[in-house]
């Protein structure tokens, strides 16, 4: 009896929330999975539930670590939401000016973003593009797996949409700017670990301080240097990151060697040494 009442209350709550908007979910299992997980996603990344909006048109395009959203209601606004890390994510939001927002919306509509049907193609290597479309009367979501320009019809359109949103909003630039604000650490990014000097006021070991000084003199590295310009660090023949040097004191170290990209010995470390190499040999 209690279970029946609970189910009834859930349905009543659900219907009262969404009864004014037709919710269209396809038979595609990926669309259904996304729809089920969406409340968790929008809460985690600080997004609005488009099933509840009353704007004349809302479009949201999901990528692996970001969303692009276009809102049409008394004008047009576009928003970029980026994040790193699934647990306790770091989030960055950007709002674009009306002219760029309008250009993006016109481009999306030119490729029929609101009417493209779902797609059941799937693969192993690739990534998804999930699109939400919301009007005052209807809500729908559909998913495409790694669409390409050399494919036909709707898959071509979705591939073009994915390219256009990045080109018009210059999302790569905003991604790089966002990454440069992150403290040292691993975030699961394609660029790998974020390496830079520890924040001002951090406790630094005597080895860390010495390597930092030598890097500034020989490699020109400073607190403003991009993480993409940091050297490769090797401690006792094992690669590490600069923050790992903070575990050691100078008294524990036998030798510190810093190679520039022009040193002949640098070649044995391959492309990872394109910014130089810091080699630490301990007394162990």
């Amino acid at each position: 009896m209690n279970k029946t009442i609970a189910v009834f209350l859930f349905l009543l709550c659900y219907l009262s929330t969404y009864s004014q908007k037709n919710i269209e979910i396809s038979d595609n299992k990926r669309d259904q999975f996304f729809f089920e997980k969406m409340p968790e996603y929008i809460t985690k990344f600080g997004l609005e539930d488009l099933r509840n909006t009353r704007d004349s048109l809302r479009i949201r395009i999901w990528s692996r670590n970001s969303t692009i959203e276009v809102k049409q209601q008394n004008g047009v606004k576009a928003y970029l939401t980026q994040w790193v890390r699934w647990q306790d994510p770091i989030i960055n939001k950007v709002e674009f000016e009306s002219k760029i927002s309008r250009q993006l919306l016109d481009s999306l509509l030119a490729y029929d973003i609101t009417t493209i049907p779902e797609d059941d193609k799937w693969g192993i290597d690739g990534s998804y593009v999930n699109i939400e479309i919301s009007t005052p009367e209807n809500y729908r979501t559909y998913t495409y797996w790694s669409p390409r320009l050399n494919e036909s019809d709707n898959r071509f359109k979705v591939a073009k949409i994915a390219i256009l949103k990045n080109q018009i909003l210059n999302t790569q630039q905003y991604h790089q700017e966002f990454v440069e604000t992150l403290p040292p650490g691993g975030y699961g990014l394609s660029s790998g670990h974020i390496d830079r000097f520890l924040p001002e006021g951090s406790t630094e070991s005597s080895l860390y301080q010495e390597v930092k000084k030598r890097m500034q003199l020989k490699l020109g590295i400073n607190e403003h240097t991009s993480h993409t310009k940091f050297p490769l660090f090797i401690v006792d023949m094992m690669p590490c990151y600069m923050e790992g040097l903070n575990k050691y004191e100078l008294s524990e170290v036998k030798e510190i060697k810093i190679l520039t990209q022009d040193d002949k010995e640098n070649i044995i470390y391959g492309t990872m040494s394109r910014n130089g190499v810091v080699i630490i040999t301990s007394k162990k």
Side-chain angles (χ1 to χ4, degrees), residues 58-201:
R58 291 285 284 271
I59 299 170
R60 182 184 288 148
I61 307 171
W62 293 76
S63 300
R64 184 170 295 172
N65 290 100
S66 66
T67 66
I68 294 294
E69 189 171 327
V70 183
K71 172 182 178 179
Q72 185 177 35
Q73 182 73 15
N74 301 322
V76 180
K77 281 291 185 182
Y79 308 89
L80 166 66
T81 301
Q82 307 171 89
W83 60 85
V84 293
R85 227 167 35 202
W86 179 255
Q87 297 297 329
D88 190 24
I90 300 175
I91 300 169
N92 180 59
K93 294 180 179 288
V94 180
E95 180 178 333
F96 297 92
E97 62 181 37
S98 297
K99 183 178 180 181
I100 294 177
S101 301
R102 169 55 69 179
Q103 181 185 357
L104 176 63
L105 178 60
D106 290 345
S107 298
L108 298 180
L109 294 177
Y111 284 95
D112 304 323
I113 189 171
T114 61
T115 57
I116 293 175
E118 65 273 3
D119 180 73
D120 59 3
K121 186 173 182 178
W122 189 252
I124 298 175
D125 296 323
S127 60
Y128 69 83
V129 178
N130 193 283
I131 299 175
E132 293 179 83
I133 305 295
S134 177
T135 67
E137 298 80 24
N138 298 289
Y139 168 90
R140 66 182 291 254
T141 179
Y142 59 92
T143 305
Y144 276 68
W145 180 259
S146 297
R148 296 177 177 85
L149 293 175
N150 61 359
E151 296 175 310
S152 61
D153 199 23
N154 292 317
R155 293 188 62 80
F156 166 83
K157 292 179 181 178
V158 175
K160 192 67 176 178
I161 284 168
I163 293 171
L164 282 171
K165 69 179 179 63
N166 293 331
Q167 289 179 336
I168 294 172
L169 301 183
N170 198 3
T171 55
Q172 184 61 32
Q173 174 189 333
Y174 287 102
H175 172 74
Q176 292 300 327
E177 291 176 356
F178 175 40
V179 169
E180 290 300 336
T181 67
L182 299 174
Y187 299 95
L189 298 167
S190 58
S191 56
H193 192 98
I194 302 298
D195 219 357
R196 55 170 57 95
F197 291 156
L198 292 172
E200 186 176 351

Side-chain angles (χ1 to χ4, degrees), residues 21-37:
K21 185 176 291 195
N22 177 49
I23 307 296
E24 179 186 338
I25 304 298
S26 74
D27 294 332
N28 189 311
K29 291 184 178 180
R30 285 175 291 130
D31 291 339
Q32 294 174 359
F33 175 80
F34 178 80
F35 185 79
E36 291 171 1
K37 299 292 291 184

Side-chain angles (χ1 to χ4, degrees), residues 237-249:
M237 302 181 66
M238 295 295 294
C240 72
Y241 301 105
M242 187 169 182
E243 61 186 314
L245 305 184
N246 218 23
K247 301 175 183 178
Y248 304 90
E249 298 293 341

Side-chain angles (χ1 to χ4, degrees), residues 10-24:
F10 172 79
L11 291 173
L12 182 63
C13 179
Y14 183 89
L15 291 172
S16 64
T17 303
Y18 302 117
S19 59
Q20 297 181 17
K21 185 176 291 195
N22 177 49
I23 307 296
E24 179 186 338

